[in-house]
Every structure is written in structure tokens, then in C-alpha cells.
Amino acid sequence: MTNTGPSERVTIYDVAHAARVSTATASKALNDTGRVSLETRDRIKRVARELGFRPNALARSLTRKRSFSVGLLTNDTYGRFTLPLMAGISEGLIDHGVSVFLCAIGDNPDLARIHVNAMLDKQVDGIIATGKRIDKPLPVDLTRLSVPVVYALTAGPSNAVTLVSDDRQGATAAVNHLLAQGRRRIAHVTGPSDFQVVHERASAFAQALDEVGATTHARVLFGSWSEHWGHQAIEALWSGADKPDGIFCGNDQIARGVVDALRERGVSVPDDVSVVGFDNWEIVAKETRPPLTTVDMNLKELGRQAGLALLRLVNGEAVETGVWKLPCSLIVRSS
Amino acid sequence: MTNTGPSERVTIYDVAHAARVSTATASKALNDTGRVSLETRDRIKRVARELGFRPNALARSLTRKRSFSVGLLTNDTYGRFTLPLMAGISEGLIDHGVSVFLCAIGDNPDLARIHVNAMLDKQVDGIIATGKRIDKPLPVDLTRLSVPVVYALTAGPSNAVTLVSDDRQGATAAVNHLLAQGRRRIAHVTGPSDFQVVHERASAFAQALDEVGATTHARVLFGSWSEHWGHQAIEALWSGADKPDGIFCGNDQIARGVVDALRERGVSVPDDVSVVGFDNWEIVAKETRPPLTTVDMNLKELGRQAGLALLRLVNGEAVETGVWKLPCSLIVRSS
């Protein structure tokens, strides 16, 4: 145990960390509340003294009965978006001594309600709601809970904080990258037309081409979020006379199908056709031959921001409501 | 509200479900303990009466101070194994009114300890520990907790219940399938040699071939868990004179690389060479051309069994300790 001397910067987390207990246990021990054994209590108090912990900040947080935990609700059972988000939330909150608990609520409203109530029973300080798509709400109403709620990658009410990635900006970066490669006959092969993200990406695609007067050969093909659709789209595009020299795909799986189909036709990527994906799902993007240039939605950073926004709400600080659009990054590889 | 009349089978979960509250809240309300508003308490009691709920079972469970929640700890940040497992645990426990909370503890022992303590602070009834591989323990000691712990797909102590998939049986099924296709020159292309599952699968491969006297052309190639390695392995195998007519791969990503590499050499799958993968990771297996025949570890069923084993421990029932090996299934597709 190093005695670092008194400091403003010693937090309840530091005490908990050094004493190898949770922040909630540390706060109970230092305030002589809750059920903590006498031995543990004494040890935690000794550690707090040694670190120079000042109890004032703690006393403030305790009056708010904080539990130093937040709940993450999701109906994304596949975890494609939820797990990177959760990693970001954890990363953002661990310095504040806050743990994250994930509960998968599924799509059944009755079961979802049970799980939400179970989470409230755990006295989490707040909840982050996330899901499979930004244009659908979770199957349970979270607007009248006793704790603050932040929405991430799922539809939230207008008076809440909702974090999504800036798909327009990401799609624009993708198309501008193709234009910078000298491509002018650019097609967009994307997912189902009833997804809001599909419209945002397609609209940004059209606008970026319009700005450089390259719309003559522009085409948008809607399909499914699958490799199989990538193959079908290339079959359709290559059966006509006006073949593209650049393809922006709505996700990495489509892009992988597109790249494979082009190679099998003897069309070189990127010499003949440049391809850009969307998601930077590494398992797909890195194993594509050649590795995919793609748009990263920065889900981990989005999670970090969602966690910090929730923490501000828990602390009673003002947070701007509405939809926060966080920037995407273009990851340039070889396609 | 339908009055189903008194019945042995009405559980606390049914009451909570009908009253749209968590099981913990329902149990507090029915026992006049904890913080539940008078209005909610009355409503829950009315619902319980209408359903014919008998409080005896509840009274029993309450003497054990059950919270109707279990914690799932993982250091598998990718979620490849953890999410199907979690879905199975939830499915197995929801009928008992129990919710599952996932906490990602990472690989740092100090942070892991904080998260475990945070979970204990939530007074979960028990913990399921899971991880990235069956031959490594989590970075935190769970042997002296106040609640029961079950291990799934991670190394546990010998006096605990540990659930894993029966990789030997799964690998044997894969090789027997290749033999049934008339294949006799069978190679095994698999992952890193320091994984226990790699050894179990390779040893089952050798034994299955030995039993039919087909070991002359048997080869095992160790590499990484990647598509890239599948391509490299085919390059190595096809540079020699003794080319296999069947390939059993250590996972689906390797198998996908193998199938792609064979197609690009003009070798037909399955006419010239039959290929079997391992994992049944649908995103890979279904999009392989042709779709992969592969071994499914039945992770959801494994999760369900882990959840029910934990519940028995929570209820003070006897559960056989040691390693439970659960059967895999061969999923026959077109490769």
C-alpha cells in the first residue's frame, strides 16, 4: 500500500480498488451503513486513510443513495452492436467506480417489463437502452422510471438523450473516398429499404455525387444485409452495359459478397473497381480479400459518451436532450 | 385478468408477470417486506389471489432471501460464446422468474475483483462464470464467495460444477460423417496447438480414423483460428502429391478459408473434397459457398443447463460436481 498523501483526486473508486471491494461496499463501510463485516469495514477505513481519501465527495454522493452501477438493456440478441457499446460504457465509467450490468430483454413486452423491474430492484443509478436499429423503440416504455435513462442506437422519446452514429457523415466520407480514387460511375448496394439508416446512407450517397456532378451513373440497389445479396447485386450490375467503377456497400457483409463476386468474374479490386463497406466488423472486413476499406461507427466511443451522459444525469447535471450524432471514421484498407 | 383458480403450479413468476412487476417486487409485496408502494402491494396481492397463488413456496424461498437474479461473469469481450450461453441461461430461468445480468470483467484481476464485488452487492442468488476458453480460469478467484458459482466454458475448480461441450464426441461425429461420404484421405486443419479443445478434437480425429484403418493419409495441421490459415493450409496440402479428399476443420472460419481456396483451385466441394467445420457460427457457416456442414456445440442448451444447475445449488439441492460434457450436434449442409 503506497501512501500517496491527501489529495483532491482520491476517489471512492481508488479506495475500493486498493481494498479490493466494490465501490458500493467501500461507501457503506466508510459511512457505517449497510451490511459490511467489522473486519472489512476497518480494513477499508484504513485503506481510505492511507490513500488520503476525503469523505466529503462521498457524503454528497451518498445523500443521493448511489449504487455505483448502471443497467444496459438490449434486444440485440446477436450482440453485434451491444457488446462494443458495453465495452465503451464500461471503459468510460470504470474510472468513476461504476459497473455495468447487461440484461437482454428480448422482444416480448411482458418479459421485457419483468427484466426492467428486476433491474430497478437492483437499484441501478440509471439505465442505458440499446437495440437492433435506431428507428425502432425497445418493446417496453422507459419514460416513467425512477432513474434517468439514456438511449443509444435505439429510438428514444424526444425529451431524452439519444446517441446514434452520424450515418450521413460516414456515408459521405465513403463516397468522397471513392471520388478521390477517380471513380465516377459509383453504385450503392445496400440493405432493406425500410431501415432508416439505409435511407440516410443512400441520401448522403446521392448528395455527395450530386455535389461533383457525378450522378449520371449513380444507382442504388436495395436488398438484404447479406453476402448473398452482394453476389446477386454484382450479377445484376454486370448484366448491363453501364458497369460501375466504384461500389459503396450498406454493410461489410454485402461488401464481402461484392468483392468475392467481382474477383470470381475476373474484375480486379481495387484496380478495376473500388469497394467501400460500412461497419468495420473486423471478422468480415479484415478477412475480405483484399481487406475492406470501410466506415467505422465508433461504437465503443458512442458507448463511452452514453455512459458519461448518464453519469451526468445521475449527478443531477444538465445534459442537452435530443439526438446526438457521433462521427464515423473511414478505415482505409486495400479495397 | 383470468381467474385460473387455485393450482399448485402458480409461481411467484406468474404473479409478477400478471402484475407486470419483477419477481423480487412481487415477493416483497406478498410478504410485506421491502419498499413497495401501498398501491402496488395491494394490486400484487389481488393478482396473487385471483391467480390462486399459494404463498408456501414463496415463504420457503424468502427464508433464503432470494433475489431472483443471477450474475453472469465473462472475459469474452467478443461475445461469440457468451451471448448464446446467456440466451440459454435466460430461457432456462425465466420460467422460474429469474433474470440474468451480464458483467464483462476483462482480464485485469483488480478490475475483475471490483466487478465481482459490485455483483455481490446486488445480492444475486448465484453466479455463472464463463470465458474465452475452457483451459483458462477467469482472472479472479470465485471459490470463496457467499453464493454458489457454476462454471461454463471456462476452467473451474475440481469441486465445482463445470459445463463444457463434448468436443471429442463432436469431432468424432464430424470425422464419421466424412467417412460415411466414402472419404479415406482425411486431413485435420485446426487452431493453435496450445488450446485444449484443439488437442481433444485432433485426438478424436486420429482415433476415429484409426478405428476404420484410415490413418495412412491422416494429417493434422495446426495454425490460427482464421480464414487466412485455411487458405495457407490448402496451399500446403495441394503442393504435395497426397491430396486429401476430406477435410475436418477446427472452426468455421478455417473451413470457410479452406472452401474458398479449394474453389479457387477448381477443386469442387463436395464432389472432389468434403469439408466439415466446427462451431456452427451461422454468419460464417451459412454464407460459405456451398453452406458448411459443421459441428454445433449447442451453447444455448449448455447455458440452459448451467442456469438450472445453479438454481438447484441456490435451492440447496445436491448437484453432481466435476466436468459435465454436453453433446454436440452435426449440422449437415452442403459442403
Side-chain angles (χ1 to χ4, degrees), chain B residues 40-270:
Chain B
T40 304
R41 194 179 295 270
D42 287 349
R43 185 167 59 83
I44 292 169
K45 285 184 172 178
R46 195 187 65 236
V47 167
R49 254 194 327 271
E50 285 175 357
L51 290 177
F53 175 72
R54 296 178 173 202
N56 294 353
L58 175 66
R60 275 203 306 279
S61 75
L62 271 174
T63 57
R64 288 192 209 102
K65 293 202 180 79
R66 283 190 49 186
S67 75
F68 294 94
S69 63
V70 302
L72 176 62
L73 293 175
T74 185
N75 68 343
D76 162 31
T77 47
Y78 198 77
R80 165 73 190 86
F81 302 109
T82 298
L83 286 173
L85 195 83
M86 181 172 180
I89 300 169
S90 291
E91 223 176 81
L93 296 186
I94 190 66
D95 286 345
H96 302 271
V98 174
S99 292
V100 184
F101 296 98
L102 170 71
C103 189
I105 59 170
D107 288 318
N108 176 319
D110 288 334
L111 292 185
R113 167 60 54 194
I114 299 251
H115 288 306
V116 170
N117 286 329
M119 190 160 260
L120 293 174
D121 272 349
K122 299 280 165 238
Q123 306 189 326
V124 290
D125 296 325
I127 285 178
I128 297 174
T130 187
K132 284 180 281 208
R133 47 193 286 188
I134 63 167
D135 47 5
K136 302 261 184 192
L138 291 187
V140 58
D141 179 15
L142 303 173
T143 55
R144 275 166 305 191
L145 301 189
S146 52
V147 296
V149 179
V150 163
Y151 299 79
L153 299 176
T154 191
S158 58
N159 63 347
V161 179
T162 303
L163 294 91
V164 298
S165 59
D166 189 342
D167 281 41
R168 284 197 71 83
Q169 169 265 335
T172 304
V175 178
N176 285 342
H177 173 78
L178 291 169
L179 290 168
Q181 311 297 305
R183 307 307 181 176
R184 287 298 177 275
R185 302 196 314 280
I186 305 178
H188 182 38
V189 180
T190 189
S193 60
D194 65 328
F195 275 68
Q196 186 186 329
V197 295
V198 165
H199 285 285
E200 287 188 13
R201 294 169 196 175
S203 141
F205 162 81
Q207 190 182 339
L209 292 184
D210 188 47
E211 279 173 10
V212 296
T215 53
T216 317
H217 304 273
R219 272 157 295 177
V220 178
L221 287 79
F222 300 101
S224 64
W225 297 116
S226 68
E227 285 188 45
H228 183 66
W229 163 234
H231 283 270
Q232 288 180 313
I234 291 304
E235 204 175 306
L237 287 167
W238 258 253
S239 68
D242 185 19
K243 299 177 180 63
D245 60 7
I247 304 178
F248 167 42
C249 299
N251 80 354
D252 286 349
Q253 288 159 278
I254 296 171
R256 167 130 198 203
V258 159
V259 169
D260 283 352
L262 288 172
R263 187 178 52 251
E264 285 162 24
R265 287 180 174 265
V267 178
S268 167
V269 174

Side-chain angles (χ1 to χ4, degrees), chain A residues 20-22 24-25 35 69 99 102 110-111 115 117 121-123 227 231 253 256 264 283 289, chain B residues 13 20-22 24-25 35 69 99 102 110 115 117 121-123 227 231 253 256 264 283 289:
Chain A
R20 300 173 74 84
V21 297
S22 77
T25 300
R35 287 183 300 179
S69 64
S99 292
L102 170 71
D110 289 334
L111 292 185
H115 288 307
N117 285 330
D121 272 350
K122 299 280 165 239
Q123 306 189 326
E227 283 186 47
H231 282 271
Q253 288 159 278
R256 166 132 199 200
E264 285 163 23
I283 190 93
R289 293 165 300 140
Chain B
Y13 164 70
R20 299 173 75 82
V21 297
S22 76
T25 299
R35 288 181 300 177
S69 63
S99 292
L102 170 71
D110 288 334
H115 288 306
N117 286 329
D121 272 349
K122 299 280 165 238
Q123 306 189 326
E227 285 188 45
H231 283 270
Q253 288 159 278
R256 167 130 198 203
E264 285 162 24
I283 190 91
R289 294 165 301 140

Side-chain angles (χ1 to χ4, degrees), chain A residues 43 136 287 301 318 333:
Chain A
R43 185 167 59 83
K136 302 261 183 191
E287 292 275 11
E301 174 61 19
R333 295 199 182 91

